[in-house]
């Protein structure tokens, strides 16, 4: 794509939407879709991943780009006309989860991804004004690391307490279309935008050649789905907790949410149990339920100041990290974070499978690929206090690489002395604290 984009113009339009959202905090905005022009569509195309799986039509990004301007213009015209555009079903596949079950994933067509991105670009500045600070998932300038830093800060300031570790069963499958559209109508009055979202919700899924529809659910994998999920949980959970629950509690409390991953902390046990009792009824009003086994209340109070030990049983996992009390180098009790056991095991399994399947590739290529995998792991899990887990991961990667390099022939197992010589020629990056957790400014 050789076209030069006027990003300043797009940013100005988004700022206008944000300003209107601030000036009209309780009203629906009726003038949104007029911001969508060819410049807007080109930017939506630029932001869309080009290497993703194809949808039901089998069209790739490379195919779409061959007649890019014509395709984008036709898409824009069809989307705004409201008649000629028909949302295609998403292709459903299943990917394995950590507990051995399968997670359904929806794959829209590439053209639909572009249009969903264009609509998301309209809605992000609108809802950024509405969303609360406790929400971190899939929002501009927010990240999982900020959510993790907030948990660490809140627990430390409270001196620990009780954490309600929530797991909403099949959230993306149970999201109710009628209630979601009622929530959207509070802030979106533009007919084009509402109509497009309605079509995506009703498009259904294609699985094994069978096209099915449902009155609930927003397929994971869709570009617009994370934003719709945030809108839903903003009303179901965030505003309810902050405005209705917290004022009625006796002690301090906090909520941290990243998409449908959520933890609620309490300074007092009685507050925690009151919320735990009422929360299922609150979610049931919106078609949601808590997982009976994965949802639990954890006692993570500050350990005794003298003679205390790190009680690993009183810990919880969120966003791939285990949160627990441990002593700092200066001897103080602090909340630390380490790679969750399940995440660590799955990461090593993926490395083992990769080394096995690629053991006959040139050593240089293997080294470069493993380097990228290690750096990616360090970038996420390289938080302060997690050096031991990172060191173990580096050792296990080396162990697996050495093992599968030895299988390239019938020779004896490559010993560590020989392997260390190989590492001098093809070094792997050693662990580093790549991520310094910083909470919201």
């Amino acid at each position: 794509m050789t076209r030069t984009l006027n990003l300043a113009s797009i940013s100005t339009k988004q700022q206008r939407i944000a300003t209107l959202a601030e000036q009209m905090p309780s009203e629906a905005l009726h003038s949104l879709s007029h911001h969508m022009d060819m410049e807007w569509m080109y930017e939506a195309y630029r932001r869309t991943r080009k290497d993703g799986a194809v949808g039901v039509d089998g069209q790739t990004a490379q195919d779409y780009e061959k007649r890019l301007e014509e395709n984008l213009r036709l898409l824009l015209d069809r989307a705004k006309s409201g008649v000629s555009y028909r949302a295609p079903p998403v292709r459903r596949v299943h990917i394995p989860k950590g507990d051995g079950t399968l997670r359904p994933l929806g794959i829209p067509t590439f053209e639909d991804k572009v249009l969903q991105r264009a609509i998301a670009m309209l809605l992000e500045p609108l809802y950024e004004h509405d969303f609360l600070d406790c929400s971190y998932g899939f929002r501009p300038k927010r990240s999982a690391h900020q959510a993790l830093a907030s948990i660490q800060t809140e627990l430390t300031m409270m001196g620990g307490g009780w954490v309600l570790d929530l797991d909403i069963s099949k959230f993306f499958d149970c999201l109710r279309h009628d209630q979601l559209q009622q929530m959207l109508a509070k802030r979106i009055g533009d007919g084009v935008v509402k109509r497009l979202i309605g079509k995506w919700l009703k498009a259904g899924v294609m699985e094994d050649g069978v096209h099915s529809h449902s009155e609930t659910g927003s397929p994971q994998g869709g570009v617009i789905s994370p934003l719709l999920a945030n809108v839903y949980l903003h009303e179901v959970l965030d505003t309810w907790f902050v405005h209705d629950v917290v004022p009625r509690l006796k002690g301090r409390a906090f909520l941290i949410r990243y998409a449908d991953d959520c933890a609620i902390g309490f300074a007092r046990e009685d507050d925690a149990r009151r919320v735990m009792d009422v929360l299922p009824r609150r979610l049931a009003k919106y078609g949601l339920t808590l997982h009976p086994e994965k949802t639990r209340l954890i006692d993570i109070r500050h350990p005794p100041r003298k003679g205390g030990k790190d009680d690993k049983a009183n810990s919880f996992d969120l966003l791939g990290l285990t949160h627990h009390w441990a002593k700092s180098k200066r001897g103080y009790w602090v909340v630390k974070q380490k790679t969750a056991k399940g995440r660590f095991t799955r990461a090593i399994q993926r490395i083992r499978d990769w080394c096995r399947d690629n053991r006959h590739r040139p050593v240089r290529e293997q080294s470069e690929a493993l380097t990228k995998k290690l750096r990616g792991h360090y970038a996420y899990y390289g938080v302060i206090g997690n050096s031991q887990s990172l060191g173990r991961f580096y050792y296990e990667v080396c162990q697996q690489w050495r093992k599968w390099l030895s299988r390239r022939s019938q020779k004896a197992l490559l010993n560590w002395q020989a392997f260390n010589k190989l590492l001098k020629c093809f070094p792997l990056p050693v662990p580093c604290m790549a991520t310094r957790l910083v909470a919201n400014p």
Side-chain angles (χ1 to χ4, degrees):
M1 182 176 63
T2 58
R3 182 185 179 107
T4 301
L5 298 178
N6 186 358
L7 298 182
S9 172
I10 295 171
S11 178
T12 300
K13 291 178 180 178
Q14 289 184 316
Q15 185 56 50
R16 288 174 185 166
I17 296 173
T19 301
L20 283 174
E22 184 176 0
Q23 294 173 348
M24 305 165 64
S26 302
E27 300 179 40
L29 303 189
H30 295 269
S31 300
L32 291 173
S33 59
H34 77 279
H35 292 297
M36 290 172 55
D37 53 17
M38 283 299 293
E39 201 80 32
W40 192 276
M41 298 303 291
Y42 267 102
E43 175 61 9
Y45 168 81
R46 187 187 71 83
R47 296 188 188 185
T48 304
R49 281 186 57 183
K50 312 300 189 296
D51 58 349
V54 298
V56 294
D57 61 354
Q59 187 178 51
T60 64
Q62 292 71 31
D63 296 334
Y64 197 80
E65 190 175 2
K66 292 177 182 177
R67 302 168 62 184
L68 182 59
E69 183 165 359
E70 179 183 351
N71 287 333
L72 290 179
R73 188 172 297 281
L74 286 173
L75 178 62
L76 179 61
D77 292 342
R78 285 160 46 219
K80 287 194 173 184
S81 72
V83 179
S84 56
Y85 174 79
R86 299 185 65 180
V90 298
R91 183 170 68 89
R92 172 165 284 177
V93 297
H94 296 271
I95 58 175
K97 295 174 62 177
D99 57 6
T101 60
L102 295 177
R103 181 196 304 276
L105 187 69
I107 304 174
T109 63
F110 181 77
E111 185 174 67
D112 236 27
K113 292 178 184 178
V114 174
L115 186 55
Q116 288 186 24
R117 178 62 64 191
I119 296 300
M121 288 164 54
L122 289 175
L123 299 185
E124 279 178 356
L126 165 60
Y127 280 106
E128 274 304 296
H129 174 269
D130 295 355
F131 290 158
L132 303 181
D133 289 341
C134 59
S135 169
Y136 290 87
F138 304 102
R139 294 179 58 187
K141 299 181 181 179
R142 288 188 161 232
S143 68
H145 289 128
Q146 290 177 332
L148 292 166
S150 294
I151 294 173
Q152 194 175 45
T153 301
E154 292 284 356
L155 283 175
T156 302
M157 290 179 63
M158 285 198 320
W162 283 262
V163 170
L164 182 54
D165 184 11
L166 301 184
D167 188 285
I168 302 176
S169 296
K170 300 180 179 180
F171 167 72
F172 283 90
D173 293 335
C174 299
L175 185 149
R176 290 180 54 175
H177 295 170
D178 56 342
Q179 290 183 320
L180 173 60
Q181 289 176 315
Q182 290 174 13
M183 297 173 189
L184 293 170
K186 295 178 181 179
R187 293 298 268 154
I188 303 172
D190 188 295
V192 171
V193 177
K194 291 197 297 183
R195 186 165 53 245
L196 286 173
I197 294 176
K199 289 185 177 184
W200 289 324
L201 292 176
K202 297 175 182 177
V205 299
M206 183 75 73
E207 185 174 5
D208 298 329
V210 179
H211 187 189
S212 60
H213 297 268
S214 174
E215 295 301 317
T216 62
S218 176
Q220 287 178 270
V223 176
I224 200 71
S225 291
L227 178 59
L228 298 182
N230 272 338
V231 171
Y232 204 75
L233 288 176
H234 168 72
E235 181 161 329
V236 174
L237 198 57
D238 300 355
T239 56
W240 170 74
F241 181 81
V242 172
H243 300 309
D244 297 338
V245 175
V246 171
R248 292 176 169 84
L249 299 180
K250 298 177 182 178
R252 183 170 178 168
F254 67 88
L255 166 68
I256 302 295
R257 183 177 64 80
Y258 190 92
D260 60 329
D261 291 323
C262 178
I264 308 178
F266 303 88
R268 295 171 58 106
E269 183 180 8
D270 55 348
D271 284 340
R273 295 200 177 278
R274 286 172 58 199
V275 174
M276 193 173 183
D277 289 340
V278 74
L279 188 57
R281 296 195 296 273
R282 172 66 182 180
L283 296 180
K285 290 176 58 178
Y286 298 89
L288 305 176
T289 58
L290 292 174
H291 195 290
E293 297 176 358
K294 296 181 180 179
T295 299
R296 59 195 186 110
L297 184 62
I298 302 106
D299 179 356
I300 192 167
R301 284 174 292 177
H302 195 297
R305 304 234 174 229
K306 294 183 179 180
K309 295 183 179 180
D310 178 6
D311 187 357
K312 296 182 179 180
N314 292 353
S315 62
F316 68 98
D317 294 350
L318 188 69
L319 299 176
L321 291 166
T322 298
H323 304 72
H324 64 107
W325 284 101
K327 285 193 174 182
S328 66
K329 292 182 179 179
R330 297 184 179 182
Y332 299 111
W333 283 105
V334 294
V335 175
K336 288 192 175 183
Q337 297 163 328
K338 61 184 178 182
T339 309
K341 183 178 179 180
R343 291 291 187 94
F344 185 91
T345 301
R346 293 198 296 275
I348 294 301
Q349 179 66 52
R350 287 194 294 269
I351 292 292
R352 178 165 57 245
D353 293 344
W354 189 92
C355 290
R356 179 195 61 205
D357 297 340
N358 296 272
R359 63 185 182 275
H360 293 300
R361 291 174 59 183
V363 175
R364 181 180 298 278
E365 290 185 16
Q366 292 187 48
S367 172
E368 291 172 353
L370 289 173
T371 294
K372 292 180 181 179
K373 294 178 186 297
L374 280 166
R375 286 177 176 165
H377 187 88
Y378 299 158
Y380 187 81
Y381 295 102
V383 300
I384 295 174
N386 196 30
S387 57
Q388 185 176 0
S389 292
L390 295 186
R392 283 181 55 218
F393 186 76
Y394 173 80
Y395 171 79
E396 290 291 343
V397 171
C398 291
Q399 178 77 299
Q400 293 300 321
W401 195 27
R402 181 180 74 94
K403 170 185 173 181
W404 289 104
L405 284 177
S406 300
R407 303 287 181 91
R408 287 158 64 101
S409 67
Q410 301 300 319
K411 297 180 181 179
L413 182 69
L414 186 68
N415 60 40
W416 278 106
Q417 183 178 5
F419 181 71
N420 285 330
K421 290 182 179 179
L422 182 143
L423 283 179
K424 291 182 179 179
C425 298
F426 304 100
L428 296 179
V430 296
C432 59
M433 295 297 104
T435 304
R436 182 178 295 275
L437 295 187
V438 178
N440 288 352

